[in-house]
Amino acid sequence: MKLKIVMSSRIRDKAVEELTAEYVKRMGAYAECSVVEAFSANKAKQLPLLLKAGEGALVGMDPKGKRFTSEKFAGWLEKKLEENGAVTFFIGEADGLHEELKAHLDDTVSLSDMTMAHRISLVVLAEQLYRALTIIKGHPYHK
C-alpha cells in the first residue's frame, strides 16, 4: 500500500511541515506514505510535474468532491488501495486544483464544506489518512 500527497505549492510553514511529518511517520506503520511539493513558477510546466508525481488512483481534493465520515472514508480508501495498490491525493493552490489536472483524476474528495488554506488541508488530509488506516487495521486511535 502506498499513499502520496502532492502539493502544487510550497509548504513554507514549519509548524505545518512538522505536524504533517508526524502523521506521515505514524502512517508508516501501515503503508508507505510521502508528501511531495510539485511546484513550478512556470504554469506551463506545472501539469507535467503534478502528473509525474502521481501513481495509482489519482484523487483531487476539491470542495465539490465526495464527502465522507471518517469510517466511510476508510472504506473508500481501502477499496482504492485494493484496486490500485497506491493512491495519490492532489492539493491545489489557493485557487484550487490545476484545471487540466482535473481531466486526469479518478475521483475528488472534499475535506469540509468550509474553506480552508491549502496548507491546513495538508494537515487535515494527513490526519484523516492516518485515521483511515487505523480504522482499516482496527487500531483504537479512532475511538
Side-chain angles (χ1 to χ4, degrees):
M1 293 191 308
K2 191 171 192 178
L3 298 171
K4 188 182 285 189
I5 303 171
V6 178
M7 296 286 292
S8 57
S9 64
R10 294 201 173 104
I11 298 170
R12 293 186 183 157
D13 185 320
K14 190 86 169 151
V16 168
E17 286 179 10
E18 289 174 358
L19 192 49
T20 302
E22 177 61 29
Y23 286 113
V24 168
K25 178 180 161 189
R26 290 181 187 189
M27 281 186 266
Y30 306 106
E32 183 180 335
C33 184
S34 61
V35 176
V36 176
E37 294 174 336
F39 172 79
S40 174
N42 180 338
K43 291 296 178 186
K45 293 182 180 181
Q46 186 75 24
L47 182 62
L49 275 175
L50 291 169
L51 291 175
K52 184 178 179 186
E55 58 186 292
L58 305 180
V59 179
M61 303 310 296
D62 188 288
K64 296 176 183 144
K66 291 180 179 173
R67 290 167 171 77
F68 297 104
T69 62
S70 294
E71 294 87 351
K72 298 253 188 218
F73 179 64
W76 174 89
L77 180 63
E78 185 173 31
K79 184 177 179 188
K80 290 283 185 191
L81 287 168
E82 286 172 0
E83 292 172 352
N84 301 281
V87 181
T88 301
F89 294 88
F90 294 93
I91 298 176
E93 295 182 64
D95 56 350
L97 293 169
H98 192 289
E99 281 303 316
E100 292 177 43
L101 173 64
K102 290 180 182 181
H104 297 276
L105 298 176
D106 299 306
D107 220 338
T108 57
V109 171
S110 174
L111 291 172
S112 172
D113 287 339
M114 292 186 262
T115 302
M116 64 181 82
H118 53 285
R119 289 172 182 88
I120 299 303
S121 296
L122 172 61
V123 174
V124 173
L125 178 58
E127 192 280 336
Q128 285 300 303
L129 288 170
Y130 173 65
R131 181 177 298 274
L133 290 173
T134 62
I135 291 169
I136 292 165
K137 298 297 184 182
H139 186 279
Y141 174 81
H142 178 62
K143 300 293 180 207

